[in-house]
Amino acid sequence: MLWLSPIYPSPQDDAGYDISDYRDIDPTFGSMEEFDALLAAVHERGMKLVMDLVVNHTSDEHPWFVESRASKDNPMRDWYWWRPAREGMNAGDPGAEPNNWGSIFSGPAWELDDNTGEYYLHLFSRKQPDLNWENSEVRQAIYSMMRWWLDRGVDGYRMDVINFISKDTNLPNGHVRDGGLSGDAMPHFVDGPRIHEFLQEMHREVFAGREGLITVGEMPGVTIEEARLYTDPARNELDMVFQFEHVQVDHGATFWDPRPLRLRDLKTILGRWQAGLAEVGWNSLYWNNHDQPRVVSRFGDDGAHRVHAAKMLGTVLHLHRGTPYVYQGEELGMTNAPFDSIEDFRDIQSLNHFAEAVSTGADPKAVLAALRVRSRDNARTPMQWDDTENAGFTTGTPWIAVNPNYKVINAQAEMADDDSVFHHYRRLIELRHTEPVVAHGDFHMLFTDHDQVYAFTRRYGSTELLVLANFSGHPTTIEVPDADRWQGTEVVIANYPVDATENLRDLTLRPFEGRVYRLR
Ligand code: GLC
């Protein structure tokens, strides 16, 4: 299935996650006719198409917000979160915001609107006012829009920060740390008081009685306990959620404080999610998306070992239990971008953070160094189709610089090379279709305390898989548990040539090696 990030009309303050019209296509991307043609072509290939649903907030240019801000007694006033200045203070005074929440994109989460002298809430940019889900007209308007796209033929939704839609209506003080999706204010809007009620209502109003749809909720801060509730089929909420723990594993005190990967922590987190959703619910599996730096640069090696590392990372992820997601270019082993200066960046989260940090005295070089590692723009450089100008992405001027490594890393070259990252991903996907154990098998983590090795078994009926991976650029020697059982079994996928006579009691895994054994 194909998931498209938002393609609706938008001022593009946050790369389309600020929607000004839910029922059209932004001319940047094409027309409604072209969308229908795409949808038909996807269906012809036996695939599905999933749209991004961004309904925690709209653009401030959406007609709903334009109405809402027009006057205090406008019928749509209550569609957003409007509040007067804090008691005893004048609107506009420093610190007069209704509470102390910070925006996830820096600065306060409240913006004063001069028109009425009140503030509106925006957890993200000031051009992304939060919708008030307490208002049933808001919910009905959203459900109606969702049905409209399903009637058109789309196959489901990826729901943007959907666990933020139910807020504590008292809006109590708290604190959201700069740029991070963590901090004390989060309990007031993450998995809020009415969230399950809203999602069950949405299910009844939008999805009930329709077949073959897919729903996945993006949920920063979601716990395993909550995820079981969201994805328990008996509760009629969602098919799966995107949790965030494993992509925060290398964060320090804040989002902008990168730390080296500790492999043990990654195994602890993913192992817990595998166990937590083993009986009830379902996992989604991802390394990458438009918000995450490129995984080969982040947890692998984008230098000499790039191809081995990209294949190993794909193998480990795809052999977990759950639905794997591949973000454009991940299947080519695309890397982080070599940005030189702040002028190279486009992402509002990165730009706001830079401006705020530098204005409060941080060393611009140090801020830039963190942006290079952490910025969402690493994932947003143009898709590398071939080795012609601009990687074949455009004949015009791309909106953000192409990664210069497109001469080597591009779809055309990798499709022609049977040993490429691309073909490795195809084989991983094929394995999931031909081996039921990949989709359905149980999961058992091995080597939990090892600093270099990520290993696990899967079992389904009489079939077992053993996945062995070296997450480092140095060889490492291990004794495979139950080595005698696995000795001489078939290797179903690998990123190095495998010698069948190797002794599994004394096995050396090469840099970023990953291989999978099968026992029947
Ligand atoms: C989600 C999106 C991200 C966006 C934010 C606000 O996290 O994935 O790109 O900036 O929500 O809509």
Side-chain angles (χ1 to χ4, degrees):
M1 78 190 179
L2 181 65
W3 150 31
L4 295 180
S5 280
I7 53 171
Y8 315 94
S10 162
Q12 302 292 335
D13 188 55
D14 179 24
Y17 284 91
D18 49 316
I19 297 170
S20 53
D21 180 355
Y22 284 117
R23 300 190 190 213
D24 207 347
I25 304 295
D26 194 292
T28 306
F29 302 114
S31 64
M32 201 46 115
E33 289 68 43
E34 284 167 312
F35 174 77
D36 287 338
L38 170 68
L39 184 57
V42 165
H43 286 162
E44 262 165 42
R45 287 164 173 76
M47 295 170 65
K48 300 190 187 216
L49 191 148
V50 165
M51 295 288 271
D52 220 306
L53 179 80
V54 188
V55 291
N56 174 70
H57 43 266
T58 65
S59 164
D60 65 336
E61 298 180 33
H62 194 288
W64 297 345
F65 189 75
V66 172
E67 282 290 311
S68 184
R69 94 187 317 173
S71 71
K72 284 189 190 173
D73 53 12
N74 187 285
M76 293 182 111
R77 185 66 168 180
D78 182 50
W79 282 42
Y80 295 83
W81 296 87
W82 291 99
R83 290 291 184 278
R86 206 175 281 210
E87 227 177 290
M89 298 189 81
N90 295 317
D93 285 355
E97 289 85 12
N99 70 15
N100 70 353
W101 295 4
S103 156
I104 290 153
F105 291 164
S106 303
W110 296 93
E111 180 75 5
L112 177 62
D113 186 41
D114 288 332
N115 193 29
T116 56
E118 286 191 334
Y119 292 85
Y120 64 87
L121 176 69
H122 60 91
L123 293 179
F124 294 90
S125 99
R126 61 169 65 96
K127 287 185 67 64
Q128 293 168 297
D130 280 54
L131 280 163
N132 176 16
W133 276 69
E134 298 295 316
N135 184 314
S136 63
E137 289 174 18
V138 169
R139 305 202 299 275
Q140 289 306 327
I142 291 167
Y143 302 152
S144 148
M145 170 273 283
M146 291 173 75
R147 287 190 296 261
W148 185 83
W149 283 103
L150 295 182
D151 290 345
R152 213 171 182 100
V154 312
D155 301 293
Y157 293 103
R158 175 270 185 187
M159 304 184 184
D160 192 64
V161 291
I162 200 70
N163 64 332
F164 289 10
I165 59 176
S166 165
K167 279 118 179 142
D168 182 336
T169 53
N170 297 322
L171 302 173
N173 272 339
H175 177 68
V176 176
R177 279 185 284 171
D178 176 14
L181 292 168
S182 59
D184 317 333
M186 289 196 74
H188 305 307
F189 59 80
V190 169
D191 303 327
R194 299 181 68 189
I195 183 67
H196 295 287
E197 173 198 334
F198 291 160
L199 289 176
Q200 287 174 8
E201 179 184 77
M202 177 193 284
H203 194 279
R204 278 196 308 277
E205 299 271 338
V206 178
F207 301 119
R210 297 181 193 249
E211 298 286 313
L213 301 181
I214 289 142
T215 57
V216 48
E218 189 216 17
M219 299 201 168
V222 70
T223 61
I224 292 178
E225 293 66 37
E226 285 290 334
R228 285 164 70 101
L229 299 177
Y230 287 125
T231 65
D232 177 352
R235 292 172 55 89
N236 289 321
E237 296 185 20
L238 299 172
D239 292 328
M240 56 195 141
V241 304
F242 289 129
Q243 58 87 16
F244 275 65
E245 279 189 66
H246 71 298
V247 290
Q248 291 168 342
V249 67
D250 56 351
H251 294 188
T254 70
F255 181 90
W256 296 110
D257 174 23
R259 296 284 165 86
L261 170 66
R262 285 174 39 126
L263 187 65
R264 266 183 276 180
D265 295 346
L266 185 65
K267 286 185 283 190
T268 305
I269 293 167
L270 289 177
R272 262 198 299 110
W273 279 87
Q274 289 288 300
L277 300 187
E279 308 296 330
V280 175
W282 190 247
N283 270 295
S284 55
L285 309 170
Y286 72 98
W287 293 133
N288 272 124
N289 59 42
H290 62 290
D291 293 331
Q292 300 298 330
R294 293 285 182 178
V295 71
V296 72
S297 303
R298 186 180 188 178
F299 297 157
D301 176 348
D302 58 12
H305 297 301
R306 184 187 64 85
V307 171
H308 283 130
K311 291 178 182 175
M312 181 280 287
L313 288 160
T315 303
V316 168
L317 189 80
H318 283 244
L319 269 291
H320 279 69
R321 184 164 184 266
T323 299
Y325 288 74
V326 180
Y327 176 68
Q328 60 172 28
E330 180 180 342
E331 77 286 7
L332 306 178
M334 275 178 65
T335 67
N336 279 354
F339 294 132
D340 281 332
S341 80
I342 191 64
E343 280 71 44
D344 295 331
F345 290 84
R346 299 287 179 272
D347 166 32
I348 184 166
Q349 183 190 30
S350 305
L351 296 176
N352 284 1
H353 168 67
F354 184 86
E356 188 178 82
V358 170
S359 77
T360 54
D363 171 8
K365 279 209 183 78
V367 182
L368 203 58
L371 286 194
R372 272 197 206 102
V373 179
R374 290 285 325 134
S375 175
R376 308 193 294 181
D377 279 337
N378 281 305
R380 297 177 178 190
T381 59
M383 177 66 183
Q384 293 167 203
W385 294 111
D386 58 33
D387 66 0
T388 64
E389 204 178 347
N390 293 323
F393 175 76
T394 179
T395 51
T397 306
W399 67 287
I400 189 169
V402 176
N403 193 318
N405 62 21
Y406 73 90
K407 293 269 181 202
V408 177
I409 306 172
N410 65 69
Q412 191 182 46
E414 296 208 19
M415 286 170 75
D417 171 9
D418 190 54
D419 204 25
S420 63
V421 179
F422 175 80
H423 283 288
H424 189 82
Y425 267 77
R426 292 192 70 169
R427 287 192 272 272
L428 286 170
I429 292 166
E430 192 184 313
L431 192 62
R432 176 168 288 266
H433 287 284
T434 54
E435 269 300 345
V437 62
V438 179
H440 305 295
D442 71 4
F443 181 98
H444 180 67
M445 191 74 85
L446 304 171
F447 293 100
T448 47
D449 292 332
H450 203 289
D451 290 320
Q452 283 166 272
V453 172
Y454 198 123
F456 51 92
T457 55
R458 305 285 312 277
R459 192 185 53 209
Y460 186 66
S462 57
T463 309
E464 284 176 68
L465 299 178
L466 168 68
V467 179
L468 299 175
N470 178 3
F471 258 70
S472 83
H474 311 285
T476 179
T477 301
I478 54 168
E479 179 179 346
V480 172
D482 280 334
D484 293 345
R485 285 183 69 230
W486 292 102
Q487 190 71 50
T489 58
E490 190 188 348
V491 173
V492 289
I493 193 160
N495 63 350
Y496 280 89
V498 174
D499 168 5
T501 64
E502 272 167 306
N503 179 1
L504 297 189
R505 288 178 185 285
D506 184 26
L507 175 67
T508 299
L509 293 170
R510 289 157 280 190
F512 298 102
E513 176 159 12
R515 54 168 89 164
V516 182
Y517 289 87
R518 179 179 56 201
L519 191 92
R520 287 206 205 272

